[in-house]
Amino acid sequence: MLFSDDGPWPTPWMSRVLPNCAALVERDPSRTIFTRFIPPNTAADGHGAWRGYYEEWANATRARLDNRLLDLMPALARFAPPALVLDKPVYSAFAGRRLGHILAQRSADTLVVSGAETDVCVLSTVLGAIDLGYFVVVVRDAVCSSSNEGHDALIAMFESRLSHQLAITDVETVLGSWPGA
């Protein structure tokens, strides 16, 4: 809920994309992995350049934040379990090795990506997935950002530069192509 209207980083499109994210998860919650961005307790706990980042965003550290804002959005929380929830201290869901190990155990080769923010966490995760050899499907109407310009630029870049490793589509197309649909 860090990116909800109540959080420190509100994303104006959240209310539009959240039902689409929920529709994707609802199709098969057991194949879903949520990742939550979890800030450090204090700015001093941040490593490297993250320390300066959290000095500026001290209200987003766990010591100053309403910790309920670290929860999944209620529309998504109802799916966990069976959906997994992985916490991450940085933008990419591939920080550390846990997600990679889980995907390898599942023999995954394609990832469907949704969430916030298109031009930060989604970008970092998509590039990490591509680096690891996954084909990535970004669901255009299930990602959002606090910056319309950043969102639009990233969608355009994904479409024009990464077409061998990535597809941009909408939630209805993904749901219509789901095995057993």
Side-chain angles (χ1 to χ4, degrees):
M1 293 189 0
L2 284 173
F3 302 98
S4 70
D5 289 340
D6 297 327
W9 300 301
T11 54
W13 302 355
M14 179 72 71
S15 61
R16 272 193 292 180
V17 303
L18 189 58
N20 293 335
C21 294
L24 291 169
V25 175
E26 189 170 49
R27 183 58 61 105
D28 194 347
S30 67
R31 292 176 59 187
T32 298
I33 302 172
F34 293 116
T35 58
R36 294 186 306 176
F37 185 81
I38 304 293
N41 193 48
T42 67
D45 296 328
H47 67 279
W50 283 103
R51 181 174 294 196
Y53 177 85
Y54 283 111
E55 286 170 354
E56 179 176 339
W57 287 98
N59 66 327
T61 61
R62 290 193 322 266
R64 302 209 14 218
L65 188 69
D66 177 348
N67 283 323
R68 290 176 293 186
L69 293 174
L70 300 175
D71 294 339
L72 295 174
M73 296 292 288
L76 302 176
R78 64 190 172 105
F79 297 111
L84 295 178
V85 180
L86 300 180
D87 294 341
K88 59 189 183 87
V90 295
Y91 300 139
S92 177
F94 289 97
R97 292 190 159 81
R98 189 165 179 216
L99 179 59
H101 288 306
I102 292 168
L103 293 172
Q105 288 172 342
R106 295 180 177 192
S107 299
D109 60 2
T110 301
L111 306 181
V112 176
V113 176
S114 64
E117 290 194 65
T118 312
D119 47 346
V120 184
C121 294
V122 170
L123 169 64
S124 185
T125 296
V126 163
L127 293 177
I130 288 171
D131 284 347
L132 292 171
Y134 293 101
F135 186 78
V136 179
V137 177
V138 175
V139 185
R140 174 191 328 264
D141 53 352
V143 293
C144 61
S145 180
S146 59
S147 162
N148 291 347
E149 297 80 15
H151 170 86
D152 293 344
L154 258 296
I155 295 296
M157 187 274 293
F158 287 158
E159 290 176 319
S160 68
R161 302 277 317 266
L162 302 172
S163 62
H164 287 66
Q165 299 143 318
L166 180 142
I168 301 288
T169 192
D170 57 54
V171 71
E172 286 192 26
T173 300
V174 171
L175 294 176
S177 65
W178 207 281

